[in-house]
Amino acid sequence: MKAIFDKISFDCSKNVTRAYSTSFSSAVRMLAPSIRQDIYNIYGFVRFADEIVDSFHDYNKEELFALFENDLDKAIHDGISLNPVLNAFQHTAAKYNIDSSLTGAFMKSMKQDLIKKDYSSFEEYNEYIYGSADVVGLMCLKVFTGNDNARYNELKPYAMRLGSAFQKVNFLRDLKADTEELERNYFPMLNLSEIDDKTKAQIIAEIEADLAEGYKGIVRLPAEAKFGVYTAYVYYKKLLKKLKNTPPLQIRATRIRVPDYEKIGLLAKCYVNYRLNII
């Protein structure tokens, strides 16, 4: 029965989220049950696309990505896919009217990772971030606002800034892997051979400004979404603080992370703030 296949598809997206990101999956569990699965469905889709360009080094990435892109288009058009992750995503895309301009921008940025190694201008940098992160935030916002277009348009700028902030933190955290394993540099202001405190401070200030704007949107989110998004925000703010306190050469040499015991403490703090209506 189709219902059984759909459940298997949903479970697959949930398992993808939990396997690839313990931090994000923890934040998703703080969302209301009514919207939780749809965020899993979005994450499963974007995770698989990202894995193709970042991880499948022993295979023809271009060919795999083209196949995935074609399957995505067919899934959206047909309302079904034999790829469980895409089947789950098309369900959410149809339910919340996720526009093809969002999925198209995302796939365009992912495709850039197949051919582009260096982002030398801020125009290229901002375009990549829009496609790889901002539109993912907008897909999630579609779910959070439940087809309320007025509320979606009101919160759209804040969701984009929050998506940008999260992506830039990821760039800084993953500097070693991006430069050494994937030979990429996303920051146009960064000379990898001469990373210094001034450049790091410039990047940190940019992220802090994005987070501050993003927070303005968090406090205006529907109750079903506020706690989960706030939890993700607090986690990234903590990670940014660690990066801020880490010497540039150490960031270049190792992956900075938030230990599990600190994540538990952050979650408890988030819950208290939420229950006391501090956010």
Side-chain angles (χ1 to χ4, degrees):
M1 292 188 295
K2 177 66 160 52
I4 295 177
F5 178 64
D6 285 342
K7 183 182 184 305
I8 291 171
S9 298
F10 298 157
D11 288 346
C12 184
S13 292
K14 182 190 296 185
N15 290 335
V16 168
T17 308
R18 291 179 176 178
Y20 278 101
S21 179
T22 55
S23 300
F24 185 78
S25 60
S26 294
V28 174
R29 286 197 291 271
M30 300 305 110
L31 299 171
S34 59
I35 60 174
R36 201 177 293 161
Q37 182 63 58
D38 290 295
I39 302 304
Y40 285 137
N41 295 348
I42 292 171
Y43 183 88
F45 156 59
V46 301
R47 182 76 264 168
F48 268 29
D50 194 51
E51 283 305 299
I52 293 171
V53 300
D54 281 358
S55 301
F56 299 164
H57 307 307
D58 296 329
Y59 304 90
N60 188 324
K61 295 181 181 181
E62 289 80 4
E63 188 176 284
L64 288 172
F65 192 84
L67 179 62
F68 186 77
E69 188 170 33
N70 183 65
D71 287 348
L72 168 65
D73 291 341
K74 281 187 63 60
I76 298 295
H77 179 269
D78 297 344
I80 190 172
S81 174
L82 294 181
N83 179 325
V85 164
L86 291 180
N87 186 59
F89 176 71
Q90 67 79 23
H91 175 90
T92 295
K95 181 179 177 182
Y96 293 100
N97 297 306
I98 294 176
D99 195 86
S100 60
S101 64
L102 299 181
T103 54
F106 173 75
M107 295 297 280
K108 180 180 178 181
S109 282
M110 292 300 97
K111 198 179 297 185
Q112 285 293 98
D113 281 336
L114 293 172
I115 58 176
K116 194 170 182 62
K117 298 295 185 182
D118 188 67
Y119 290 77
S120 56
S121 73
F122 280 95
E123 182 179 0
E124 292 177 339
Y125 169 67
N126 290 328
E127 183 181 8
Y128 179 85
I129 289 176
Y130 171 77
S132 66
D134 294 7
V135 298
V136 178
L138 294 179
M139 290 182 211
C140 293
L141 184 62
K142 281 283 189 179
V143 175
F144 298 154
T145 54
N147 286 319
D148 183 338
N149 289 329
R151 198 166 196 180
Y152 171 80
N153 289 324
E154 173 195 344
L155 297 176
K156 181 178 176 180
Y158 307 108
M160 292 172 62
R161 291 294 292 273
L162 194 63
S164 290
F166 289 177
Q167 181 68 296
K168 291 170 189 176
V169 170
N170 289 342
F171 286 163
L172 200 54
R173 178 199 62 191
D174 297 336
L175 200 60
K176 175 179 169 61
D178 283 343
T179 56
E180 294 182 7
E181 298 173 21
L182 301 174
E183 299 179 336
R184 297 184 197 140
N185 176 28
Y186 294 105
F187 293 113
M189 72 289 280
L190 182 62
N191 182 339
L192 294 174
S193 63
E194 299 177 4
I195 181 171
D196 55 20
D197 287 315
K198 182 180 179 180
T199 305
K200 192 192 84 168
Q202 180 184 347
I203 294 170
I204 296 288
E206 184 180 302
I207 298 171
E208 288 176 334
D210 285 336
L211 281 174
E213 282 299 301
Y215 181 78
K216 295 177 183 178
I218 293 174
V219 299
R220 295 156 71 176
L221 282 171
E224 293 85 355
K226 186 182 292 185
F227 182 34
V229 179
Y230 177 66
T231 300
Y233 162 85
V234 169
Y235 166 75
Y236 270 92
K237 194 170 183 180
K238 179 66 174 180
L239 181 55
L240 181 64
K241 183 178 180 180
K242 282 184 172 290
L243 289 163
K244 189 174 184 177
N245 294 331
T246 302
L249 291 180
Q250 188 176 342
I251 293 176
R252 179 72 172 78
T254 187
R255 190 178 194 265
I256 306 302
R257 61 184 298 273
V258 178
D260 289 342
Y261 73 89
E262 288 191 35
K263 291 179 184 178
I264 295 171
L266 290 174
L267 179 59
K269 179 181 177 181
C270 289
Y271 182 74
V272 171
N273 288 345
Y274 177 72
R275 296 300 296 176
L276 293 177
N277 291 318
I278 294 176
I279 58 168

